[in-house]
């Protein structure tokens, strides 16, 4: 028992005060010349460094739960992080500062989606929502590019059997769908796209999927929210943790859920 305690103390001594709170893209931890994938809620080794490639974003917190976002590509040692935190400071952190971190998380998450191949077709005209969106509400506004107001067909499919649920002619660039029990089943994925013809799109046409969350999914999600709210930590930190939960679960739209 005594030897085990000494070993545990030795491990703790190797940890820095910095913990990975959030990341998008593919940042790496460099330890002893080896690159290791970043993991959430883990402390950085005091001798490690962070390697941040292009189109990546990293949010760390220190022992005082102060967040710091890094977006400039490069390699950062613990000494570098200390200097950055000296500029941030541990006091007088305004709501604007936390809003800045939150907005960067949203923007960098979007960049990571684009660079990661979610928007993978040249000429893809679909705008929103992003692929695999999960809805906590019973409506969804779809949008796409149509600057010349051409006649297009909005198509919504059940991917299970490729039943065509909607085939709506439109010259607009937005359309709001509403949950209808006779057309949709909550918890099931549905696919949508816009196409220039009334018939089925040609092979290779991009479709995105969305899901109206069912009661079981919402209950599990709300339980996670409850844990954050009851953690007793800084209110602004809890807001960012809540945002992280929404981003992790592909909730759309964020403006309706924050």
């Amino acid at each position: 028992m005594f030897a085990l305690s000494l070993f545990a103390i030795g491990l703790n001594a190797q940890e820095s005060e910095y913990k990975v709170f959030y990341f998008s893209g593919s940042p790496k931890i460099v330890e002893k010349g080896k690159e290791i994938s970043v993991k959430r809620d883990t402390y950085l080794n005091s001798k490690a460094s962070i390697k941040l490639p292009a189109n990546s974003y990293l949010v760390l917190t220190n022992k005082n739960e102060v967040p710091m976002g890094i977006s400039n590509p490069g390699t950062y040692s613990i000494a570098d992080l200390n200097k950055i935190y000296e500029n941030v400071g541990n006091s007088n952190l305004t709501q604007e500062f936390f809003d800045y971190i939150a907005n960067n998380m949203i923007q960098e998450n979007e960049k990571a989606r684009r660079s990661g191949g979610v928007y993978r077709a040249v000429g893809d005209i679909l705008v929103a929502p992003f692929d695999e969106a999960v809805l906590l509400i019973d409506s969804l506004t779809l949008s796409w590019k149509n600057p010349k107001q051409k006649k297009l067909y909005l198509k919504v499919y059940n991917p299970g059997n490729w039943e065509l649920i909607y085939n709506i002619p439109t010259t607009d660039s937005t359309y709001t769908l509403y949950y209808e029990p006779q057309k949709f089943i909550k918890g099931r994925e549905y696919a949508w796209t816009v196409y220039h013809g009334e018939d089925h799109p040609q092979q290779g046409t991009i479709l995105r999927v969305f899901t109206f969350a069912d009661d079981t999914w919402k209950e599990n999600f709300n339980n996670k929210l409850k844990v954050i709210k009851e953690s007793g930590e800084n209110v602004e930190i809890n807001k960012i943790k809540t945002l992280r939960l929404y981003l992790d679960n592909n909730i759309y739209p964020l403006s309706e859920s924050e």
Side-chain angles (χ1 to χ4, degrees), residues 62-157:
N62 67 359
K63 61 184 178 182
N64 295 318
E65 287 287 308
V66 175
M68 174 185 64
I70 305 174
S71 58
N72 291 330
T75 300
Y76 299 84
S77 66
I78 297 300
D80 294 328
L81 299 179
N82 290 339
K83 291 179 181 178
I84 295 173
Y85 260 101
E86 285 178 5
N87 294 330
V88 173
N90 292 327
S91 60
N92 298 321
L93 297 175
T94 64
Q95 182 176 345
E96 286 76 15
F97 172 79
F98 286 95
D99 288 345
Y100 173 77
I101 294 289
N103 288 334
N104 277 346
M105 287 171 63
I106 294 170
Q107 292 172 11
E108 296 298 333
N109 181 70
E110 177 70 8
K111 287 181 184 178
R113 286 181 179 276
R114 292 183 181 278
S115 64
V118 174
Y119 303 84
R120 54 193 174 276
V122 175
D124 180 11
I125 65 172
L126 307 184
V127 175
F130 47 73
D131 197 24
E132 300 181 348
V134 176
L135 310 171
L136 299 179
I137 56 178
D138 287 347
S139 63
L140 171 62
T141 298
L142 307 171
S143 63
W144 55 91
K145 299 173 185 176
N146 190 15
K148 296 183 179 180
Q149 296 184 317
K150 294 181 179 180
K151 184 178 181 179
L152 299 171
Y153 288 83
L154 169 63
K155 302 174 186 292
V156 179
Y157 290 92

